Amino acid sequence: MIRAHKIRLHPTEEQKNYFARAAGTARFVWNWALAEWDRQYQAGEKPTALKLKKLFNEIRREQFPWTWDVTKNASDQPFLDLSKAFLAFFEGKARRPKFKSKKRSKPSFYLANDQMELGDHRVWIPKLGWVNMSENLRFKGKVTGARVTRTAEWWFISVTVEVPDEKHEKRKAAVGIDVGLNRLVTLSTGEGDENQTFLKRALKKLRQANKRLHRRVKGSKNREKARREIARLHYRVACLRDDVLHKLTARLAECYGVIGIEDLNLKGLLKNRK
């Protein structure tokens, strides 16, 4: 079983700059590989991740020497990610891969298990050194890799660990879940979970922050401050929602063996005024 633990990092300004350059390198290589994939495909060839990586390494030292300033995983992994993305697209499981934007895409880069080392509240990254972590890794097992990402103004590392499969104990009977509009869920046992009041307060702050952003002059420092505030509020709202849903689903999974959920178009119900 593969488990993942997402941990917040506390990098210095120099380390933040390294993360930004590594994420930029990963984005550039992805876009280059996608453009080359499209070119070869239109020419009647059959592109593969191995061919693209070999071609990139041939011209890398002359045309893109700055890609050597960060860990090699930042320029190696995008080829494998693109191959997996096209495989999912051909199988009908996902949309066609798109080019990544500097402003809209989420900055991230991959670290292989042989390119990192975990210590006490810290992680070692090639060509950078030790970076402080907010907590230690929860799971014990073989580390298979990690991915460093940025959300709002904060950097996180998601470490994947291979752990032994858990033995499932005999659970209770089935339970039905009714998803409501005014109530989060109502169980067939009569229990119910109310929509969280603190989430409504956070959404109200987000609406107010969006109004402030639209009143700011484009290109000004105040607009940039407002944009950063909105990014932090979006992250807070996402955390509040995830916290409620994770606690609910974990409790249901531990208490019941079979869970039945009604199949309704909730978005359509919300749009209907009646």
Side-chain angles (χ1 to χ4, degrees):
M1 181 192 305
I2 302 295
R3 302 290 298 272
H5 184 191
K6 190 174 182 180
I7 306 171
R8 181 177 169 182
L9 298 172
H10 296 292
T12 62
E13 291 300 322
E14 181 182 353
Q15 292 170 342
K16 287 181 182 179
N17 179 267
Y18 176 92
F19 289 160
R21 288 187 288 116
T25 300
R27 182 184 64 254
F28 171 81
V29 174
W30 167 280
N31 290 338
W32 182 92
L34 180 55
E36 184 63 24
W37 185 295
D38 292 341
R39 188 194 67 78
Q40 293 185 13
Y41 186 80
Q42 293 173 2
E45 303 177 18
K46 292 184 178 180
T48 62
L50 187 61
K51 290 181 181 178
L52 294 177
K53 184 178 177 181
K54 185 177 180 181
L55 178 61
F56 180 79
N57 287 334
E58 290 176 355
I59 63 174
R60 179 180 178 184
R61 192 170 295 279
E62 294 182 0
Q63 299 186 19
F64 317 115
W66 46 270
T67 58
W68 295 97
D69 296 339
V70 295
T71 172
K72 67 176 185 178
N73 292 144
S75 54
D76 290 348
Q77 187 65 25
F79 295 103
L80 300 177
D81 292 340
L82 184 64
S83 178
K84 293 177 182 178
F86 268 111
L87 181 61
F89 167 68
F90 292 139
E91 293 178 351
K93 297 179 181 178
R95 296 181 180 180
R96 193 181 190 282
K98 297 181 180 180
F99 291 99
K100 294 186 177 181
S101 167
K102 183 177 181 180
K103 293 183 178 180
R104 298 181 180 179
S105 300
K106 192 172 188 177
S108 68
F109 64 95
Y110 180 79
L111 289 172
N113 57 354
D114 61 340
Q115 292 289 307
M116 58 175 292
E117 181 182 347
L118 293 171
D120 184 23
H121 282 82
R122 60 180 185 169
V123 57
W124 186 85
I125 297 177
K127 299 184 179 180
L128 180 62
W130 292 101
V131 182
N132 182 264
M133 298 193 304
S134 60
E135 58 179 313
N136 284 324
L137 186 65
R138 297 177 189 171
F139 308 117
K140 293 183 179 180
K142 180 182 177 182
V143 176
T144 59
R147 191 172 290 272
V148 178
T149 58
R150 192 187 75 188
T151 302
E153 298 178 352
W154 303 293
W155 288 92
F156 298 85
I157 183 169
S158 182
V159 185
T160 53
V161 185
E162 186 177 352
V163 298
D165 293 339
E166 299 178 357
K167 294 182 179 179
H168 297 287
E169 300 178 356
K170 189 175 180 180
R171 296 173 180 170
K172 299 180 181 178
V175 66
I177 299 179
D178 175 39
V179 181
L181 300 179
N182 297 326
R183 220 178 199 186
L184 182 60
V185 292
T186 302
L187 306 182
S188 57
T189 57
E191 299 178 71
D193 273 52
E194 298 290 342
N195 287 322
Q196 304 299 315
T197 306
F198 53 80
L199 178 59
K200 295 179 182 178
R201 290 199 297 265
L203 289 173
K204 182 179 178 180
K205 290 182 179 180
L206 182 59
R207 287 193 297 270
Q208 294 171 345
N210 275 308
K211 291 180 181 179
R212 286 195 295 271
L213 176 66
H214 289 295
R215 291 196 295 265
R216 300 294 183 260
V217 179
K218 289 187 177 180
S220 65
K221 292 184 178 180
N222 285 335
R223 187 179 178 88
E224 178 62 20
K225 289 180 182 178
R227 187 196 63 79
R228 292 181 179 180
E229 182 185 0
I230 288 177
R232 290 192 294 267
L233 286 172
H234 271 295
Y235 174 69
R236 176 169 174 75
V237 169
C239 288
L240 291 173
R241 283 177 169 156
D242 288 343
D243 182 65
V244 172
L245 293 176
H246 286 331
K247 288 178 179 177
L248 174 63
T249 53
R251 179 167 61 86
L252 294 175
E254 290 175 358
C255 297
Y256 301 100
V258 179
I259 300 174
I261 305 176
E262 59 182 347
D263 188 13
L264 290 177
N265 182 11
L266 293 178
K267 291 185 178 179
L269 290 174
L270 290 171
K271 292 179 180 179
N272 189 347
R273 296 181 180 178
K274 299 182 180 180

